[in-house]
Each structure stands twice: as C-alpha cells, then as structure tokens.
C-alpha cells in the first residue's frame, strides 16, 4: 500500500509513540477493505507498539479505530485516509499513542476543561483532494484524544456515496454534531472551540480590551499581513495582528507553482509556514477577530482605533490594512439558497462528491478553465459558461480544455438563476447575450470561478476606495488616512499574486516605521 519512502517516514514518526495503540478494523470482502488491511499492516510493521484486529463491528466498511488500550481514547476513520489526509492519520496515531501535540498549552487546557453533559459525537465528511479538510479532521481528532466526552469519525465522502446522498452532503468538509449540521468549510481548533465554548468570545474580548496600544497593528493574516508583521517586529517595535483567520485566501489555494524559489507547494502548507515565521518574533496574534470599523486618530500622531465584531477594540499609532479578498459570487437568484448544496467554490475540495454527475463551471479565466479540466476527470459532463465572447485563460489551458470529450464551452452566457428542489441544485439558467435567448441546463453542481472581491465593506466612508472597492494607496502603501497603510489583494495594486502581496506587506511595514520615527515618538523605538 505504502511505497518504501512513506514506510521509512512512517517508521521514523512512530518511534515517538509513548504507549501501545491498537488498530481495530471493520471490513468486508470489498477491494477497498483489502486495501485498508494492507495499509494497516504497513502501520503495524512500522512499530512494535502497534497491533491490529480485524473484527471491528462498525457499520461503515471499510473503517478502523485507533485505540489506546485500557482507556476510552480513540479516533475513527471511515475509508482510507491517504492523499491530504495521510498527515491526519499519522497525527492521530501519534496523539492516541501519547505523543504531545504541537498546540498552545492554554488551548489544550481549554479543551480538557470543557464542561460537557452528554457525549459530543462529531462526524466529518472529507475528500482526499480537499486541502481544507485536514485542519478540521485533525482538530476534532485531537479534541477527542484530549477530552473523553468528545468522539470523532472522519468519513471519506467519495467512498460512502450512498450515505453522502442520504444526508445531502454537497460540500467538504462538512461536520455533523450528534447527527445535526455543525459546520461547513475550513475550521481550526480554536474556531471549533469558540463554537462549543460559548464563553470564549467574551473572555477573549476582555483580554484584547486590556491590551496597551501598539506601534503597528496589522489587520489581516494573509501573505501581506504576515510579511508586514515580520518586517515591523524586526524593527523592535510593538506589533500586533488582528486576523479573522490566519492565512487568509491562501488557505483555499490548492497548488502554488509560481512562488519564487519554491517549485511547488500548497496553500495550507504555505499558510502554516507564514504563521510559524510570524511566531518566531514578538508579535501579538489575535486570531478569529473580525474588524468592523476604523476610527482615525483625532490628532496627527495620535492613536487609530480598530473595532472588532467581538465588542473589543485595539488602538495603535499606525495601522496596516491587509484584509485580502474572497470569492466573487454570481449574485443571481438561488445562489445563496443552494450554497454548499450544489453551488461550490472549490473544485479540488468538492469535486469528488459529484462523481459521475453533471456540473457547470462559471468563469473562463485560468481558475475556471483549470477547474473544468480537473472536474472532467471526475464527473460525467462539464459545461463551462463565460460571460465574454471568448475565454480569458492561457492558451495552453484552453488547448487542454478543448481536447476533453466531456466538456462543453459556452461563451456570451450570462448566468441568470440557480434552480433546486429545496435540498439541492437541479438546474442552471443562462441568457445567450447575442441572441437574447434563455436556456436551462439540468445538472447537479455549479462551481463558481469568477474572481475575487476585496474585503473592504467595513471601511466605506472612512477611507478612500476605488470603484471596485479596493483601498486606494500610493507607491509607499499610504492610504487617504494619515498613519494608515494598506497592502495586498484589498488594495489598488494590480496583479493579485502571493509574491506581490508579500512585497507590498513588507513595504507597508517599512513605510509605517518611517511614519513612526518622523511623526510620532513611540516609547518602544530606541533612540
């Protein structure tokens, strides 16, 4: 099952097991069950602390539990956790086996201290190509190891298609709690905790309100924000980051092949590296905090205030806005109603759930054409709709697209409505812009790939924005408000690229520092 390289890596990892663990497999005579047994035997062969039983009674087959004998600690996988989930498997083996997790001590204590009356039974549906799923799977696995009243099973949605259809799972990761919908999309451990521990928001808001002012406050934790924080912290000044989710849009990016000096990486890996780099400096990271208002300094050199959705507020001598962007929506009837019920924005994540079905891709740029190419290998039929008279994707992508037998391309198509039966998408309507004729396509899925919108609505009326809603900046990253700078995809800088955002974030930090030493006299800056 595992090649020689993975077996060697696994053997090295499992040397960190502190206590014996037992694998209990529930199998039948299917090919997938045979593959699972082969995988589990490879794990057993990698450590003398691992044993295997194949008499499990789980109704889902194939599945297996990782159990710490003599305790109620266990983690369950339904399916074969390979692909993006192989790391989740390794971490689960280590954590059930007593290896300490790399998580802040106060977060671990928060999980252990949760007051739970009845058992919390989580189920997470994932796909092996989903880069967002491992964060959710790993967080819930760890919680089930730390707190005996929490149980978790991670389910490969592509393998259990009947279950997915019966429960109307149309996007991954989807999490159920005690059989009811709990969440969809990427969530980290702290985000899940915030949903379960209802007093966490108030406690965190109180901690933030008690903080003294910063010299530089960065709003946003993507590539631009991380770079700005590192450059500011290296100046020896008091630096903080407020982020709704650290990593930003990069977390939703599958393959990154144009990041100079790194031939290939994936968004979540890059985001984790960014966070780790920031944590090497004295930066106060305030994660899961959404900014709602900016109050400019009353006097030159005064303090700018950032108000947060939690009710807290933070003040700083300079502010760097790096709030990034999000997927642009079609803005047609039915889109919001059927979001995650057939309307999707991540073909890599959700594509496997539409195996053998008919789907549409909206958008003829690189993202749309790449999505159509990827989906064509999974689904029965792909219809790509482009508003303009021709596709905008690179020529090499277009050649590949038009070579595929199960792809239809329609240009001059204006999407007008998403149709459904109340539970899932059933069709899509569009207008032929040349002949002014309405058409309807019967299908099961719609993947929207029409660009990004800047996250700047909260700044309207406070700071100068372009007609597209981007923050207007000059060559130094300065905005229309003195002491407030901006960087990255939320600004008017052209070409929304990771490497450009990082450079812009660094430049904004240098400009903020220059502003500090010329306009104010922060106590933290050495004379």
């Amino acid at each position: 099952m595992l090649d020689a390289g993975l077996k060697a890596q696994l053997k090295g990892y499992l040397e960190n097991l502190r206590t014996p663990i037992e694998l209990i497999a529930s199998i039948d005579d299917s090919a997938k069950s045979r593959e699972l047994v082969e995988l589990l035997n490879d794990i057993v062969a990698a450590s003398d602390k691992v044993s295997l039983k194949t008499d499990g009674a789980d109704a889902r087959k194939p599945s297996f539990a990782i159990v710490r004998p003599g305790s109620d600690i266990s983690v369950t996988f339904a399916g074969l956790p390979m692909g993006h989930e192989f790391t989740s498997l390794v971490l689960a083996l280590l954590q059930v086996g007593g290896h300490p997790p790399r998580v802040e001590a106060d977060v671990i204590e928060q999980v252990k201290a949760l007051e739970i009356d009845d058992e919390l039974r989580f189920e997470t549906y994932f796909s092996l190509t989903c880069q967002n799923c491992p964060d959710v799977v790993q967080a819930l696995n760890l919680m089930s190891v730390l707190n005996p009243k929490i149980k978790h099973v991670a389910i490969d949605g592509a393998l259990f298609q009947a279950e997915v259809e019966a429960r109307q799972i149309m996007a991954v990761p989807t999490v159920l709690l005690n059989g009811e919908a709990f969440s969809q999309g990427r969530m980290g451990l702290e985000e899940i905790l915030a949903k379960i521990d209802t007093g966490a928001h108030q406690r965190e808001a109180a901690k933030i309100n008690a903080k003294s002012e910063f010299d530089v406050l960065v709003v946003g934790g993507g590539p631009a924000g991380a770079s700005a924080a590192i450059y500011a912290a290296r100046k020896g000044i008091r630096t903080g980051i407020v982020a709704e989710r650290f990593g930003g849009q990069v977390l939703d990016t599958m393959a990154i092949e144009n990041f100079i000096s790194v031939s290939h990486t994936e968004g979540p890996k890059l985001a984790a590296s960014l966070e780790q780099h920031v944590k090497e400096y004295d930066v106060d990271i305030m994660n899961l905090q959404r900014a709602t208002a900016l109050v400019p300094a009353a006097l030159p050199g005064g303090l700018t205030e950032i108000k947060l959705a939690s009710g807290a507020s933070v003040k700083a001598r300079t502010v760097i806005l790096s709030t990034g962007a999000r997927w642009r929506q079609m803005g047609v009837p039915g889109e919001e109603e059927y979001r995650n019920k057939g309307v999707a924005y991540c073909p890599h994540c959700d594509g496997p759930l539409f195996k053998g079905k008919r789907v549409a891709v909206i958008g003829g740029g690189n993202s749309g054409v790449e999505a159509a190419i990827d989906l064509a290998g999974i689904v029965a039929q792909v219809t790509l709709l482009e508003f303009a008279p021709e596709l905008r994707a690179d020529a090499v992508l277009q050649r590949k697209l038009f070579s595929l037998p199960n792809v239809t391309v329609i240009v001059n198509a204006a999407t007008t409505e998403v149709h459904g039966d109340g539970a899932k998408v059933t069709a899509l309507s569009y207008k032929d812009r040349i002949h002014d004729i309405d058409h309807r396509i019967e299908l099961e899925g719609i993947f929207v790939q029409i660009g990004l919108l800047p996250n700047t609505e909260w700044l309207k009326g406070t700071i100068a924005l372009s007609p597209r809603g981007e923050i207007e900046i000059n060559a130094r990253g300065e905005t229309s408000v003195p002491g407030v700078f901006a960087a990255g995809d939320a600004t008017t800088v052209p070409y929304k690229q990771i490497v450009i955002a990082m450079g812009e974030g660094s430049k904004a930090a240098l400009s903020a520092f220059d502003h500090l030493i010329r306009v104010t006299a922060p106590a933290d800056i050495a004379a």
Side-chain angles (χ1 to χ4, degrees):
M1 182 67 188
L2 300 179
D3 61 30
L6 278 179
K7 287 179 180 178
Q9 290 182 38
L10 183 63
K11 184 176 180 64
Y13 290 137
L14 296 188
E15 289 177 356
N16 293 302
L17 290 174
R18 295 188 176 183
T19 64
I21 59 175
E22 192 171 65
L23 309 178
I24 303 176
S26 299
I27 55 175
D28 52 23
D29 58 358
S30 66
K32 284 296 180 182
S33 284
R34 290 192 292 274
E35 286 183 42
L36 176 61
V37 172
E38 187 178 351
L39 170 63
L40 299 182
N41 278 324
D42 284 345
I43 296 172
V44 171
S47 174
D48 59 7
K49 284 189 169 68
V50 185
S51 60
L52 171 64
K53 291 182 178 179
T54 57
D55 57 354
D58 197 311
R60 293 188 182 98
K61 295 179 174 61
S63 67
F64 66 100
I66 306 171
V67 178
R68 185 183 298 173
S71 76
D72 51 7
I73 294 174
S74 67
V75 169
T76 301
F77 288 94
L80 282 75
M82 300 299 291
H84 286 288
E85 292 300 339
F86 185 70
T87 300
S88 301
L89 168 60
V90 172
L91 287 174
L93 292 167
L94 292 175
Q95 290 163 1
V96 174
H99 185 65
R102 293 183 178 179
V103 178
E104 300 291 339
D106 57 342
V107 175
I108 292 175
E109 289 307 312
Q110 186 181 355
V111 176
K112 290 181 176 180
L114 284 172
E115 296 182 4
I116 302 170
D117 295 329
D118 299 316
E119 190 173 82
L120 300 182
R121 294 177 291 103
F122 287 98
E123 298 168 287
T124 301
Y125 289 87
F126 66 86
S127 72
L128 297 181
T129 56
C130 171
Q131 74 271 25
N132 293 324
C133 296
D135 278 2
V136 179
V137 171
Q138 291 167 23
L140 287 169
N141 280 349
L142 177 57
M143 290 176 69
S144 68
V145 170
L146 295 174
N147 192 312
K149 291 229 173 166
I150 298 174
K151 301 299 179 186
H152 180 230
V153 54
I155 307 159
D156 182 355
L159 191 57
F160 294 90
Q161 282 280 325
E163 185 175 330
V164 162
E165 292 183 8
R167 291 181 129 175
Q168 298 179 351
I169 307 296
M170 304 293 288
V172 291
T174 289
V175 180
L176 305 183
L177 172 56
N178 295 337
E180 301 294 329
F182 177 77
S183 71
Q184 285 184 320
R186 174 186 292 277
M187 293 183 79
L189 176 57
E190 293 178 359
E191 293 170 275
I192 296 170
L193 267 176
K195 286 197 70 170
I196 298 174
D197 187 355
T198 55
H201 286 295
Q202 291 80 4
R203 294 196 301 271
E204 187 62 24
K207 287 169 58 178
I208 291 173
N209 277 330
K211 296 179 186 292
S212 58
E213 67 270 11
F214 292 92
D215 290 318
V216 175
L217 177 68
V218 181
V219 184
S227 298
I230 290 169
Y231 264 69
R234 285 175 62 87
K235 294 295 184 181
I237 56 180
R238 182 166 161 73
T239 304
I241 285 187
V242 170
E244 189 166 357
R245 62 169 186 163
F246 203 99
Q249 189 75 10
V250 167
L251 291 167
D252 303 323
T253 303
M254 182 63 174
I256 300 170
E257 298 176 339
N258 57 357
F259 189 65
I260 311 306
S261 82
V262 179
S263 60
H264 176 87
T265 187
E266 296 172 353
K269 290 182 180 178
L270 179 58
S273 296
L274 288 173
E275 185 171 9
Q276 183 59 43
H277 196 175
V278 171
K279 286 181 176 178
E280 290 178 5
Y281 294 93
D282 189 15
V283 177
D284 190 336
I285 300 175
M286 294 161 275
N287 201 11
L288 310 182
Q289 298 296 324
R290 180 169 58 86
T292 57
L294 183 149
V295 182
L299 298 171
L303 297 177
T304 297
E305 181 181 9
I306 297 293
K307 294 185 177 181
L308 307 176
S310 64
S313 68
V314 195
K315 294 181 179 180
R317 295 181 174 90
T318 60
V319 169
I320 299 173
L321 303 171
S322 56
T323 49
R326 64 188 183 278
W327 291 116
R328 184 185 297 273
Q329 295 182 276
M330 297 181 291
V332 300
E335 178 180 19
E336 192 59 35
E337 180 183 356
Y338 291 102
R339 183 183 179 95
N340 294 324
K341 298 178 181 178
V343 176
Y345 301 85
C346 180
H348 303 292
C349 302
D350 301 331
L353 298 179
F354 294 85
K355 183 178 180 180
K357 298 180 179 180
R358 301 160 297 176
V359 304
V361 173
I362 312 301
N366 282 350
S367 296
V369 171
E370 287 174 350
I373 292 170
D374 287 345
L375 289 166
I378 302 171
V379 305
Q381 177 66 36
V382 179
T383 302
L384 187 147
L385 286 80
E386 165 58 37
F387 183 85
E390 59 185 23
L391 302 183
R392 296 167 286 109
D394 295 342
V396 64
L397 293 175
Q398 292 195 43
R399 286 195 296 272
K400 175 63 176 177
L401 179 74
F402 286 112
S403 73
L404 300 173
N406 61 336
V407 175
T408 300
V409 176
I410 304 173
V411 296
N412 288 307
T415 306
T416 55
E417 188 173 358
V418 174
H419 305 280
D421 60 7
K424 61 184 183 300
V425 165
T426 57
L428 172 72
S429 290
Y430 73 92
K431 182 181 290 292
D432 181 331
R433 298 175 56 237
I434 300 299
H435 303 98
D436 197 31
I437 299 174
D438 292 320
H439 297 272
R440 178 183 172 112
I441 306 172
E442 304 296 323
L443 43 68
E444 290 78 36
I446 302 167
F447 290 85
V448 184
Q449 300 283 289
I450 55 176
L452 301 171
L453 277 176
N455 297 316
T456 57
E457 291 85 354
W458 62 286
L459 295 168
K460 288 180 179 178
T462 304
I463 214 162
L465 303 177
S466 73
R468 295 170 58 88
E470 298 168 326
I471 303 169
E472 294 184 347
I473 59 172
N474 63 14
R476 297 174 60 84
E478 295 171 319
T479 70
S480 60
V481 177
V484 177
F485 304 82
D489 289 1
T491 74
T492 49
V493 168
Y495 312 120
K496 313 306 185 186
Q497 298 289 309
I498 293 170
V499 69
I500 293 174
M502 286 183 169
E504 290 294 308
S506 304
K507 182 172 66 177
L510 294 173
S511 295
F513 180 74
D514 185 68
H515 176 87
L516 284 169
I517 61 178
R518 292 174 184 273
V519 180
T520 67
D524 293 32
I525 297 180

